[in-house]
Amino acid sequence: MSGPDTSYYLATVPERELGFGPLRGPVAASVCVVGGGFAGLNTALGLAERGVRDVVLLESERVGFGASGRNGGFVFGGFSRGEDSLLQDLGPERARLLYSGTTDAVELIRARTDRYAIDCDRVDAGVLWANWFRDPQVLRERQHLLEQQFGVHWEWMPRERLRSLVHTQRYHDGLFEPRAFHFHPLKYARGIARAAMAQGVAIHEQTPAVALERAGPGWRVRTPEGVVEADLVVLACGGYLAGLRAEVDAGVLPIATYVMVTQPLGARLDDVMTTRAAVYDTRFAFDYYRPLPDTRLLWGGRISVLDRSPAEVEAVLYRDMLKVFPQLDGVRIDHAWSGLMSYARHQMPQIGAIDDGLWLAQAFGGHGVAPTTFAGELLASAIANGDPRWRELSDYGLVSAIKPVGFVGAQLSYWWAEFKDEWKDRVERARAG
């Protein structure tokens, strides 16, 4: 695995202690949350906001260590599973309810950055979905589906307008999601942690949970130097599996994705893009990127079962960047890193009760910022108020990822989708002469 010290996010977070340090000795808790990423942090904060006391959160590394502190920083609605599939799975009413949960989460994230004065480099400039292909059908169909079935309007972006904002001949038309934004995810994670601590949540970093066992009507969570006696436990470990319950770890594939950040570009940033929106494209194996406040360009993409070194990440992504922006040839890359996401076979989060007093939030895939916030709200409301809304996700349960065969299948599926994208691109280019 690439070292976390290569991350731009870590390099730009002020160095100061967070939390109560490693747990030492026994403590009692009403709820013990295992995992200091977005899912765990939002659950803990949601519980505190609802008046639940004696909440303890355990993080094996530092808050935001995993995907929550390494992702692209896009904040927008939806899940990894497409909206058309949600409709087929659930019907229009339930599909719309779940999708609305994620768009509500976008607004909650925005509100929390204001309410708790979280300085996370928030850029309210929307997100562009740029068409890699000439055929506009995929854009028209999705725009219509979102409008008619989900009550969400993405603005049409004609090719000429898109190219005036994103200076590449690579794209054709696009769709613009105006309510979306982008931010520094690690600063946000640490801000949410501080907000939770201010309301009484005890956060213990560098405290791995090493065992989980029944203790009367509740649970006992053991750590290297302590133990938490809890009424309830929430497992929110994502792609960094804790080894506490075999069926939980078996339910996800930890899949790597890659990110790099350029040197400060100064005025050259406007040679690349004059919008401050974040951008991703319509391929299955899409690029995603966004301008940073210090004029750098953050660039991400690819998924793989391989967690590559920073040098390998840079080499792969640099080639991808130059396919879109050849004018950036020669630009220095200052940071490159990878991180693990948790994917379920059904491409949806696994959220809910899996045993008496044992709750789960994982498998947010490559689309997790808003869904993890949604999950935190569902679990906090369920635990504090008996809210049954989490059951709307019961169709997407804790199914086996069929490891190790699942890793092979995931990689082959990705390569096949990548091949289809490349073939479609070649065919279109040949037809265009």
Side-chain angles (χ1 to χ4, degrees):
M1 173 183 298
S2 59
D5 58 327
T6 60
S7 162
Y8 167 83
Y9 296 134
L10 266 177
T12 51
V13 168
E15 277 297 327
R16 58 175 179 264
E17 287 301 312
L18 178 69
F20 293 80
L23 177 66
R24 294 185 172 91
V27 296
S30 60
V31 183
C32 178
V33 179
V34 182
F38 284 149
L41 291 169
N42 281 294
T43 301
L45 178 58
L47 288 167
E49 289 178 337
R50 289 165 174 81
V52 177
R53 296 294 171 253
D54 301 319
V55 177
V56 173
L57 185 147
L58 307 178
E59 166 54 43
S60 63
E61 300 286 345
R62 301 291 299 273
V63 162
F65 170 82
S68 297
R70 306 188 193 199
N71 64 75
F74 287 52
V75 186
F76 56 122
F79 300 95
S80 290
R81 191 164 182 81
E83 297 87 15
D84 54 346
S85 296
L86 285 180
L87 285 170
Q88 293 171 15
D89 296 344
L90 306 174
E93 185 175 345
R94 290 180 65 201
R96 183 166 182 158
L97 182 66
L98 287 186
Y99 188 91
S100 295
T102 66
T103 54
D104 290 345
V106 171
E107 297 308 317
L108 178 58
I109 295 167
R110 196 192 316 268
R112 280 176 169 168
T113 63
D114 293 335
R115 183 186 315 153
Y116 298 117
I118 300 174
D119 179 10
C120 57
D121 303 340
R122 193 181 91 200
V123 181
D124 290 295
V127 170
L128 275 167
W129 192 40
N131 195 2
W132 189 270
F133 306 105
R134 297 173 187 273
D135 183 0
Q137 182 178 358
V138 66
L139 299 181
R140 292 294 188 191
E141 288 179 352
R142 192 175 187 194
Q143 184 187 41
H144 179 77
L145 181 72
L146 288 170
E147 186 86 56
Q148 297 300 313
Q149 298 292 341
F150 297 93
V152 172
H153 178 64
W154 287 14
E155 300 171 8
W156 186 262
M157 182 76 68
R159 183 179 68 175
E160 294 74 16
R161 173 63 177 156
L162 179 59
R163 290 184 177 181
S164 74
L165 297 174
V166 183
H167 303 156
T168 176
Q169 299 299 302
R170 181 58 273 176
Y171 303 139
H172 301 281
D173 303 310
L175 293 177
F176 178 60
E177 187 176 1
R179 295 300 299 168
F181 60 95
H182 54 99
F183 69 174
H184 190 303
L186 185 55
K187 286 184 179 179
Y188 181 72
R190 294 176 73 81
I192 286 294
R194 284 191 291 272
M197 289 170 55
Q199 296 181 60
V201 174
I203 295 179
H204 295 281
E205 294 185 307
Q206 301 191 334
T207 304
V210 297
L212 173 67
E213 58 199 39
R214 271 287 181 194
W219 295 89
R220 180 176 296 117
V221 184
R222 296 189 183 278
T223 75
E225 299 180 74
V227 61
V228 182
E229 301 280 352
D231 299 329
L232 305 171
V233 170
V234 178
L235 300 178
C237 303
Y240 295 82
L241 306 177
L244 299 175
R245 294 273 291 213
E247 73 273 26
V248 169
D249 289 2
V252 292
L253 292 174
I255 301 292
T257 188
Y258 310 138
V259 188
M260 69 179 187
V261 170
T262 70
Q263 68 184 83
L265 299 177
R268 289 186 68 182
L269 180 59
D270 287 336
D271 294 336
V272 172
M273 54 197 309
T274 46
T275 178
R276 293 302 175 254
V279 182
Y280 67 114
D281 69 65
T282 54
R283 295 170 299 164
F284 179 86
F286 58 84
D287 303 320
Y288 55 89
Y289 54 92
R290 62 189 186 92
L292 301 179
D294 58 1
T295 75
R296 299 174 189 269
L297 186 68
L298 178 145
W299 189 281
R302 306 298 183 106
I303 61 172
S304 174
V305 300
L306 300 175
D307 202 7
R308 290 177 163 142
S309 71
E312 291 171 319
V313 168
E314 178 180 337
V316 169
L317 294 186
Y318 205 92
R319 290 193 298 269
D320 292 346
M321 182 180 71
L322 294 187
K323 289 177 184 177
V324 179
F325 298 121
Q327 62 267 44
L328 290 181
D329 191 15
V331 163
R332 186 183 72 245
I333 303 303
D334 282 350
H335 303 274
W337 67 94
S338 64
L340 297 177
M341 309 172 291
S342 60
Y343 274 89
R345 275 196 294 145
H346 47 55
Q347 299 177 304
M348 285 290 284
Q350 296 166 336
I351 300 170
I354 59 171
D355 201 342
D356 185 21
L358 183 61
W359 296 81
L360 178 68
Q362 67 177 12
F364 296 96
H367 200 114
V369 178
T372 49
T373 303
F374 180 35
E377 286 295 284
L378 287 178
L379 293 189
S381 188
I383 291 168
N385 308 121
D387 187 344
R389 285 181 301 149
W390 64 271
R391 296 186 184 277
E392 292 298 329
L393 280 148
S394 59
D395 288 50
Y396 307 108
L398 193 57
V399 297
S400 173
I402 321 178
K403 292 181 279 193
V405 175
F407 285 111
V408 177
Q411 190 64 67
L412 290 175
S413 296
Y414 179 80
W415 283 338
W416 175 242
E418 193 174 37
F419 170 77
K420 289 193 293 184
D421 285 339
E422 291 176 357
W423 181 257
K424 182 176 180 179
D425 188 33
R426 289 180 185 178
V427 169
E428 285 192 345
R429 288 174 177 271
R431 287 175 179 170

